[in-house]
Amino acid sequence: MATAGISPITDIKITVCPEDNCSVPGYRKVAQDLNKYSRGNFVHLHFTNLPTPQGSSNVRLNPITNIAVLQGPDAEMGPDWERIEGNLNDGNRGPVLTMFVQRDPDDSPIDSVVVKYGYDSHAAIGYDRLPLDLNVGTGERPIASLNLSLRSQQPDDEDDGAPGESIDTGIRFKDSNVYVNYRRGRLGNRKDVLDNLAVELGNNPVPYGWNLASFDHDPEEDVPDWNAQIVYRTGEKALPKVPTLKFKDDGSFKIVQFADIHMATGPHSCYNAPSSMTCTGDINTSEMMERVLEAERPDLVVFTGDNVNGMTSNDAYSTILKYSKPVVERGIPWTIIFGNHDEEGDLSREEMMRSVQDVPFSMAERGPAGISGTGNFVLQIHRRDRRQPPPRHRHRHPSFDAQSEDHEHECDHEEELDEGIEAFNKERDGRFTLYFLDSGAYSFNLAYPGYDWIKEDQVEWFRQTSQAITSRYPKDKVPNALAFFHIPIPEYALVDGDNDDNDNGDDDGEDGLKKKENGKMVGDKVEGVSSPSYNSGMFDAIFESKDVRATTAGHDHLNDYCLDHRGIELCFGGGLGYGSYGRGSIYRRSRVFEILKNGDRVDTWKRLDDDDLTIIGQQTLFEGPKVHDSSSPSERHGRPNNQKGQRQRQIDDLLERLRQGTQFVMGDVGGGGVM
């Protein structure tokens, strides 16, 4: 089912290539290879929500509402189904797998597709699983049988005589079988019809609009600690409307960055915590977040990657609910970008983004079709309309209750987007821009091993987006901007003013940078900068832009500095989470950005997780409009652009996508991205 604000899929392609570099202009690639481990060709699914070229004109097809996969080259479906050309099992000795799609105007459209590996890989809430193994014929032993034991354990209902029904879970507690019991409602009563059920691990918050199935037990016995819970929904509940980001009456706007919180499904463990504290993993991380939120009362919270510690999170959705709870309870708008560890659990980036968008007050966007990564989008902070009385301060709201009817608002994202576009076009009231980019995870290019990087098509998307925004303002009125990503770009490693691309793990020691007395840096460099070994030109694009004055990253938990590199401030958030590495002698921390004078000035500082929540590293990052250097990038950097040949093909592909309709439309800024 399509989520409000996300365009449904209009076309799907199956693409086969000898190497893992399949690309289709204007289409988004499903990240996973459908034939993984088969030693056959790379087989990928590509999907789009753009108009589909047919002849000389672009025709927007009706949205796809159903997908089916059958075995055999001669497989057939009904007349209202379309065959997708290509074999999902291409290059394998297994059977031909054929995909069909349906466009039913009476059904809900599909807006996302993922491929999962393994027999036990469940999908996120909101996704349906096709009952077919796409890896048939690779030598893996297939599932031979499946058995569900159903027993009726409930007496007849006293009102209408309808029998209760139950499912034996196969679990025993105190020598008794555990059942899922349920009853059926009356015909025609659609209000309380159960339409979805899920098992969530970790005893974490209940998803918004869902109900927790209680456990019926002897009141004299202890409630069993399952470390799991069953949640169910009786009809979808509209999310509360997210307020437009606006400066306060004094012209200020505050952002809190939570970097590398590394939360797990259960309580988790602590790593390198100070010996003076009693550490209980994610509980300490959540408490630190709550203390910072209470002290700073931000207008926006940004989780900058490695939010989910994938290797210890076998239910990433419940982890998302857990780490967002302190923000949601306070009604604060929030958003995320992904890191290199988020996707190591049970959910893909696509599924996690959908899950994040199902949580109240989330402003995260999937981003444009056909561009690398998930989560390339833009938010803008607007001037407050002084003609309207200021709304009640959202931080004064009572604790958020997912089941409270007081928080049930009618959510109409399209109407809100239209209003935002009209306001922006008429008043040009966007006074500060926030860019979010997905920096990927790990490199699969043997020539550039290590961490992934912001791809060239993302760099070009940023150029196009920045140009579209800034071109609407006079030169002396261009709004300033910040950019957020997880993995630091190579220029973060230029702490000595040299031209080395990165440190890649060399530890300078806790006081290494202080001894160098680098006047262009505020903060500490305690570990080597883990940037990619390939430079895709992101800094050049930022430098040449008319708006971005500073960037902030995560990834390196012990680095928390802001480095002035050629007039651009390159900042680290500092590691917050206790579920991953740190140092016992170094407090966990969180970075704060305060935007002042309606976007003309930005100050920053860090909060330490000590008894006093100590503030350190206060500085003014910039003030006033951005001043440009007219020299060329090669003259400024003193080094040749050795990526030109490798970048050209991706840039050509991007230009083709732009011609097909993905070029940035200014109105979409109000919705947080290019679609």
Side-chain angles (χ1 to χ4, degrees), residues 162-179:
E165 300 178 62
S166 65
I167 300 175
D168 186 349
T169 64
I171 299 174
R172 295 180 66 82
F173 176 67
K174 292 187 179 298
D175 298 325
S176 299
N177 289 340
V178 176
Y179 302 93

Side-chain angles (χ1 to χ4, degrees), residues 171-214:
I171 299 174
R172 295 180 66 82
F173 176 67
K174 292 187 179 298
D175 298 325
S176 299
N177 289 340
V178 176
Y179 302 93
V180 175
N181 301 309
Y182 63 96
R183 295 183 184 278
R184 298 185 184 276
R186 300 177 185 275
L187 289 175
N189 183 9
R190 303 294 300 173
K191 180 180 179 181
D192 298 320
V193 173
L194 188 150
D195 72 349
N196 212 330
L197 182 145
V199 176
E200 291 298 313
L201 304 181
N203 295 323
N204 290 321
V206 178
Y208 177 77
W210 291 63
N211 306 287
L212 176 64
S214 61

Side-chain angles (χ1 to χ4, degrees), residues 446-492:
L446 297 180
Y448 300 98
Y451 291 106
D452 208 349
W453 53 84
I454 299 171
K455 302 299 190 298
E456 280 86 347
D457 59 352
Q458 294 172 274
V459 175
E460 190 62 25
W461 168 82
F462 165 77
R463 292 181 190 272
Q464 294 281 343
T465 304
S466 175
Q467 182 180 2
I469 292 174
T470 59
S471 64
R472 290 181 170 260
Y473 298 88
K475 291 183 179 180
D476 60 341
K477 299 293 184 181
V478 172
N480 289 316
L482 288 174
F484 296 79
F485 39 80
H486 178 74
I487 299 175
I489 56 180
E491 286 76 9
Y492 270 72

Side-chain angles (χ1 to χ4, degrees), residues 257 259 492 510 513-514 521-527 529 552-563 570-576 586-593 604-608 614-619 621:
Q257 176 185 0
Y492 270 72
E510 187 165 351
L513 198 61
K514 292 179 180 178
M521 193 192 76
V522 176
D524 294 325
K525 177 179 179 292
V526 184
E527 63 177 318
V529 176
T552 186
H555 196 50
D556 294 347
H557 302 186
L558 302 178
N559 293 334
D560 72 350
Y561 59 81
C562 285
L563 171 69
L570 308 177
C571 298
F572 277 111
L576 171 62
I586 299 177
Y587 289 108
R588 281 358 189 231
R589 60 202 60 204
S590 175
R591 181 172 288 281
V592 180
F593 295 94
T604 188
W605 57 87
K606 284 106 48 177
R607 288 274 191 175
L608 302 183
T614 303
I615 295 176
I616 63 170
Q618 290 178 284
Q619 66 179 116
L621 289 179

Side-chain angles (χ1 to χ4, degrees), residues 59-272:
V59 178
R60 181 169 290 280
L61 301 177
N62 292 326
I64 292 173
T65 56
N66 290 295
I67 298 176
V69 176
L70 299 180
Q71 291 186 9
D74 300 324
E76 295 291 341
M77 294 287 289
D80 56 342
W81 288 80
E82 304 170 24
R83 178 190 295 267
I84 302 298
E85 296 301 322
N87 173 18
L88 292 172
N89 224 12
D90 192 280
N92 199 343
R93 283 183 282 183
V96 173
L97 299 181
T98 306
M99 175 176 283
F100 297 85
V101 299
Q102 188 181 41
R103 308 173 192 274
D104 185 350
D106 297 326
D107 202 352
S108 300
I110 295 171
D111 60 34
S112 183
V113 177
V114 298
V115 173
K116 306 297 286 292
Y117 301 135
Y119 294 124
D120 195 33
S121 57
H122 70 276
I125 288 179
Y127 282 84
D128 295 323
R129 184 173 179 177
L130 294 183
L132 183 63
D133 173 16
L134 297 182
N135 226 16
V136 171
T138 63
E140 297 285 346
R141 292 188 301 176
I143 296 176
S145 63
L146 185 68
N147 178 58
L148 295 177
S149 177
L150 304 178
R151 303 180 186 179
S152 177
Q153 296 290 324
Q154 296 295 310
D156 292 350
D157 188 283
E158 296 180 358
D159 293 332
D160 57 11
E165 300 178 62
S166 65
I167 300 175
D168 186 349
T169 64
I171 299 174
R172 295 180 66 82
F173 176 67
K174 292 187 179 298
D175 298 325
S176 299
N177 289 340
V178 176
Y179 302 93
V180 175
N181 301 309
Y182 63 96
R183 295 183 184 278
R184 298 185 184 276
R186 300 177 185 275
L187 289 175
N189 183 9
R190 303 294 300 173
K191 180 180 179 181
D192 298 320
V193 173
L194 188 150
D195 72 349
N196 212 330
L197 182 145
V199 176
E200 291 298 313
L201 304 181
N203 295 323
N204 290 321
V206 178
Y208 177 77
W210 291 63
N211 306 287
L212 176 64
S214 61
F215 183 73
D216 186 15
H217 66 287
D218 189 328
E220 296 182 358
E221 295 181 352
D222 294 332
V223 178
D225 182 12
W226 303 115
N227 194 33
Q229 55 194 16
I230 295 176
V231 295
Y232 63 94
R233 187 180 65 187
T234 55
E236 289 194 63
K237 189 175 182 180
L239 290 168
K241 185 175 293 186
V242 183
T244 301
L245 300 181
K246 292 184 179 181
F247 287 102
K248 293 190 278 289
D249 289 336
D250 63 358
S252 67
F253 187 95
K254 188 178 290 185
I255 301 172
V256 163
Q257 176 185 0
F258 289 144
D260 297 86
I261 57 176
H262 281 270
M263 284 198 171
T265 297
H268 211 183
S269 301
C270 286
Y271 293 86
N272 312 123

Side-chain angles (χ1 to χ4, degrees), residues 313-546:
S313 184
N314 54 348
D315 188 352
Y317 183 56
S318 68
T319 306
I320 291 169
L321 296 176
K322 178 167 63 173
Y323 77 67
S324 63
K325 180 181 178 181
V327 180
V328 172
E329 284 182 331
R330 291 163 176 79
I332 306 172
W334 62 285
T335 190
I336 67 157
I337 49 179
F338 294 121
N340 53 295
H341 288 298
D342 290 278
E343 205 170 15
E344 293 173 344
D346 66 319
L347 298 185
S348 68
R349 271 167 153 74
E350 288 282 341
E351 290 173 291
M352 282 187 288
M353 180 58 73
R354 169 64 59 80
S355 299
V356 166
Q357 291 173 320
D358 284 342
V359 180
F361 309 116
S362 167
M363 303 191 77
E365 294 288 342
R366 186 176 68 188
I371 302 298
S372 299
T374 302
N376 306 299
F377 62 101
V378 175
L379 297 176
Q380 283 204 307
I381 307 170
H382 301 265
R383 287 196 300 253
R384 181 172 298 283
D385 187 352
R386 296 185 180 275
R387 294 172 297 179
Q388 300 294 332
R392 184 176 62 176
H393 203 275
R394 58 177 162 271
H395 303 118
R396 304 298 182 186
H397 287 182
S399 296
F400 182 82
D401 179 3
Q403 309 306 325
S404 171
E405 294 301 323
D406 294 338
H407 289 83
E408 186 171 4
H409 303 287
E410 183 67 23
C411 184
D412 190 342
H413 290 277
E414 293 184 0
E415 180 180 351
E416 183 181 18
L417 178 58
D418 292 339
E419 292 174 354
I421 295 171
E422 181 180 1
F424 188 90
N425 288 336
K426 289 184 177 180
E427 301 180 21
R428 295 179 178 177
D429 65 347
R431 293 309 308 155
F432 202 91
T433 306
L434 306 173
Y435 295 94
F436 301 88
L437 295 113
D438 182 3
S439 56
Y442 303 99
S443 170
F444 294 99
N445 188 327
L446 297 180
Y448 300 98
Y451 291 106
D452 208 349
W453 53 84
I454 299 171
K455 302 299 190 298
E456 280 86 347
D457 59 352
Q458 294 172 274
V459 175
E460 190 62 25
W461 168 82
F462 165 77
R463 292 181 190 272
Q464 294 281 343
T465 304
S466 175
Q467 182 180 2
I469 292 174
T470 59
S471 64
R472 290 181 170 260
Y473 298 88
K475 291 183 179 180
D476 60 341
K477 299 293 184 181
V478 172
N480 289 316
L482 288 174
F484 296 79
F485 39 80
H486 178 74
I487 299 175
I489 56 180
E491 286 76 9
Y492 270 72
L494 302 181
V495 293
D496 299 322
D498 56 28
N499 285 322
D500 293 336
D501 277 346
N502 60 63
D503 283 349
N504 272 331
D506 296 333
D507 195 340
D508 288 326
E510 187 165 351
D511 297 320
L513 198 61
K514 292 179 180 178
K515 294 177 181 178
K516 296 173 185 176
E517 297 181 353
N518 190 328
K520 292 189 175 182
M521 193 192 76
V522 176
D524 294 325
K525 177 179 179 292
V526 184
E527 63 177 318
V529 176
S530 297
S531 56
S533 57
Y534 176 77
N535 194 326
S536 62
M538 187 67 211
F539 181 83
D540 287 350
I542 290 172
F543 187 94
E544 295 160 10
S545 72
K546 297 179 181 179

